[in-house]
């Protein structure tokens, strides 16, 4: 018995009742003005429900009043753009208004009917209460609780029915669920790309610092040590800028990854490699400054990783760098002599990252020794 009465002490029972009654304010005003046309408010709800933002407002109310104790109810999170979703909003508004009208009428009159039945039991009736046909009889006393039971069922059960219908009509459609999954996938891919960028940038900076420190100690020259420290400082500052930018993107998930370095900043990479003792012969041809943003940014990271591999595995050796943009293709070619303890072709996360970046843009990458005894990284990226 107490379990059946539990909804009466729950706050959400009354917030749901309030939610049903909110549309009745406007309906009551209209019925007071024009009671002969009670269907007009239902007609007005049709164009209102077709507005995309209306569903957002309805979802906000449903979260607040229908599911106040749920942390993440399964409702739509965006305006209704598809016509199917707009008509679902219209259907929801019509159902909510009709159910609210029924419950409001029941709340007003069912207690009156119960009192009238109880009054007839003792032979009392008043002019302003509905009369029950038949002589006074104890049987009316048995019927008197029935309107109250019906009222309880409408108040408690109506709220549950309204919540179930809200989940159905205000919940995300199949298309919206797929869009949400795709958006989440894009976010995960973006974070993976950011992590790879951070690895490349910090890895390059640490490699330059290690090579410079070793060369300065071996050279035993104050002038060379000064140049080495300057190169380490410059490379470290660039890495710190990249780190701050990446952390800013991670802190603000909706903020675009702007101000990322492009191939127009390639001179910074080349000078960093030269400062580490490598003899870099670089040649850049074509309109590099007009390359598409994604191609130019990924090209910069590929060139950074290729030069990092030269310094990490071969040391201060001559390196030949060619960057060419022509005929709808960006070509990056980096060569360096193979050391005696050369790694096997394709080994290492850096080389795998180069191939993944190229494949992501529809290009191709070759990494490994060529026939002339050099290690070669050649990447071709389409521009369109």
């Amino acid at each position: 018995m107490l379990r059946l009465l539990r909804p009466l002490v729950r706050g959400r029972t009354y917030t749901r009742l309030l939610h049903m009654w909110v549309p009745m304010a406007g309906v009551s005003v209209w019925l007071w003005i024009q009671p002969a046309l009670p269907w007009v408010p239902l007609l007005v709800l049709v164009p209102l429900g077709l507005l995309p933002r209306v569903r957002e407002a309805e979802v906000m109310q449903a979260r607040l009043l229908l599911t106040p104790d749920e942390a993440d109810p399964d409702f739509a999170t965006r305006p209704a753009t598809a016509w199917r979703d707009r008509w679902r909003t219209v259907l929801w508004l019509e159902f909510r208004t009709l159910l609210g009208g029924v419950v409001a009428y029941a709340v007003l009159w069912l207690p009156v009917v119960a009192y009238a039945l109880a009054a007839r039991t003792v032979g009392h009736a008043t002019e302003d209460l509905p009369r029950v046909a038949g002589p006074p009889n104890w049987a009316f006393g048995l019927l008197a609780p029935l309107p109250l039971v019906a009222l309880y069922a409408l108040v408690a059960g109506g709220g549950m029915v309204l919540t179930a219908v809200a989940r159905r009509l205000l919940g995300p459609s199949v298309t919206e669920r797929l869009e949400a999954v795709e958006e989440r996938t894009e976010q995960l891919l973006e974070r993976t790309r950011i992590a790879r960028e951070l690895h490349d940038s910090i890895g390059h900076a640490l490699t330059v610092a290690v090579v410079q420190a070793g060369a300065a100690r071996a050279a035993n020259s104050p002038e060379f040590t000064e140049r080495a420290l300057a190169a380490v400082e410059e490379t470290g500052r660039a890495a710190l800028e990249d780190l701050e930018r990446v952390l800013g993107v991670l802190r603000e998930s909706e903020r675009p990854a702007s101000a990322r370095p492009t191939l127009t900043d390639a001179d910074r990479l080349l000078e960093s490699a030269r400062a580490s003792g490598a003899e870099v012969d670089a040649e850049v041809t074509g309109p590099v400054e007009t390359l598409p943003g994604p191609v130019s940014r990924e090209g910069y990271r590929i060139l950074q990783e290729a030069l990092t591999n030269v310094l990490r595995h071969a040391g201060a050796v001559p390196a030949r760098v060619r960057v060419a943009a022509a005929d709808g293709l960006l070509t990056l070619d980096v060569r360096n002599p193979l050391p005696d303890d050369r790694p096997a072709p394709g080994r290492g996360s850096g080389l795998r990252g180069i191939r993944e970046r190229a494949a992501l843009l529809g290009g191709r990458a070759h990494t490994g020794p060529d026939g002339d005894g050099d290690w070669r990284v050649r990447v071709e990226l389409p521009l369109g």
Side-chain angles (χ1 to χ4, degrees):
M1 184 63 180
L2 293 177
R3 185 176 181 181
L4 291 176
L5 297 178
R6 191 175 300 169
L8 295 178
V9 297
R10 287 178 177 171
R12 67 182 180 186
T13 300
Y14 302 100
T15 60
R16 290 172 177 177
L17 185 63
L18 176 62
H19 187 268
M20 284 187 281
W21 284 354
V22 168
M24 296 310 300
V27 174
S28 300
V29 173
W30 171 256
L31 292 178
W32 181 74
I33 297 174
Q34 189 59 266
L37 300 174
W39 47 267
V40 171
L42 296 178
L43 187 63
V44 172
L45 291 176
V46 175
L48 181 65
L50 294 178
L51 298 176
R53 292 289 180 180
V54 170
R55 184 167 68 158
E56 274 191 322
E58 291 298 316
V59 167
M60 186 181 302
Q61 293 182 51
R63 288 177 181 272
L64 182 63
L65 299 176
L66 295 182
T67 58
D69 50 355
E70 294 184 24
D72 189 20
D74 191 20
F75 290 127
T77 58
R78 61 190 69 190
T81 54
W83 282 104
R84 177 183 176 87
D85 296 327
R86 297 186 187 190
W87 284 110
R88 290 170 66 206
T89 307
V90 172
L91 185 59
W92 159 252
L93 291 175
E94 300 284 356
F95 179 81
R96 177 187 176 187
T97 303
L98 289 173
L99 183 60
V102 171
V103 174
Y105 185 85
V107 168
L108 288 175
W109 287 106
L110 285 179
V112 176
V113 172
Y115 179 81
L117 289 172
R120 293 292 293 178
T121 303
V122 296
H124 175 71
T126 58
E127 295 296 332
D128 56 343
L129 294 179
R131 293 181 176 274
V132 180
N137 194 297
W138 61 269
F140 287 107
L142 297 178
L143 296 177
L146 294 182
L148 299 179
V149 173
L151 177 62
Y152 167 79
L154 281 173
V155 171
M160 291 188 288
V161 170
L162 189 67
T163 304
V165 174
R167 296 184 193 276
R168 181 74 175 179
L169 297 180
L170 296 181
S173 62
V174 175
T175 302
E176 289 174 323
R177 291 184 187 276
L178 290 176
E179 290 177 354
V181 170
E182 291 177 358
E183 183 177 339
R184 178 59 178 165
T185 302
E186 289 295 328
Q187 291 176 352
L188 293 177
L189 290 175
E190 176 70 7
R191 287 179 177 270
T192 302
R193 183 194 60 75
I194 289 175
R196 187 168 60 226
E197 265 193 32
L198 190 59
H199 168 270
D200 293 346
S201 178
I202 302 301
H204 175 77
L206 291 176
T207 299
V208 169
V210 170
V211 172
Q212 289 284 9
R217 185 175 60 180
N220 196 21
S221 168
E223 294 80 7
F224 186 86
T225 301
E226 183 68 24
R227 292 197 303 271
L229 290 175
V232 170
E233 181 182 8
E234 181 182 354
T235 306
R237 290 184 185 276
L240 286 175
E241 290 176 3
D242 280 347
L243 179 61
E244 181 62 28
R245 177 186 56 78
V246 170
L247 292 178
V249 171
L250 292 176
R251 282 193 297 265
E252 304 177 31
S253 58
E254 296 183 358
R255 174 182 168 188
S258 58
R260 292 170 53 198
T262 63
L263 278 177
T264 57
D265 305 309
D267 288 342
R268 187 174 72 180
L269 293 178
L270 300 176
E271 290 303 320
S272 176
R274 293 188 180 109
S276 300
E279 298 177 9
V280 180
D281 175 21
E283 180 180 344
V284 180
T285 58
V288 177
E289 65 279 354
T290 62
L291 292 176
V295 175
S296 187
R297 290 190 291 267
E298 295 302 319
Y300 177 92
R301 293 304 182 188
I302 290 172
L303 179 59
Q304 182 182 55
E305 183 60 35
L307 291 175
T308 300
N309 283 338
V310 172
L311 296 174
R312 181 181 297 157
H313 300 294
V317 298
R320 180 174 176 269
V321 176
R322 296 292 182 266
V323 179
D327 301 327
L329 199 68
L330 172 66
T331 303
L332 301 170
D333 194 286
V334 180
R335 300 186 183 207
N336 64 276
L338 278 171
D340 294 334
D341 54 344
R342 61 190 183 188
R347 179 175 297 175
S349 60
L351 298 179
R352 183 173 63 249
I354 290 176
R355 291 190 290 268
E356 289 175 354
R357 290 179 186 275
L360 187 64
L361 295 176
R364 56 185 180 179
H366 169 76
T367 60
D370 61 7
D372 298 328
D374 290 339
W375 181 271
R376 184 181 187 185
V377 175
R378 180 178 175 85
V379 178
E380 297 178 350
L381 304 176
L383 301 181

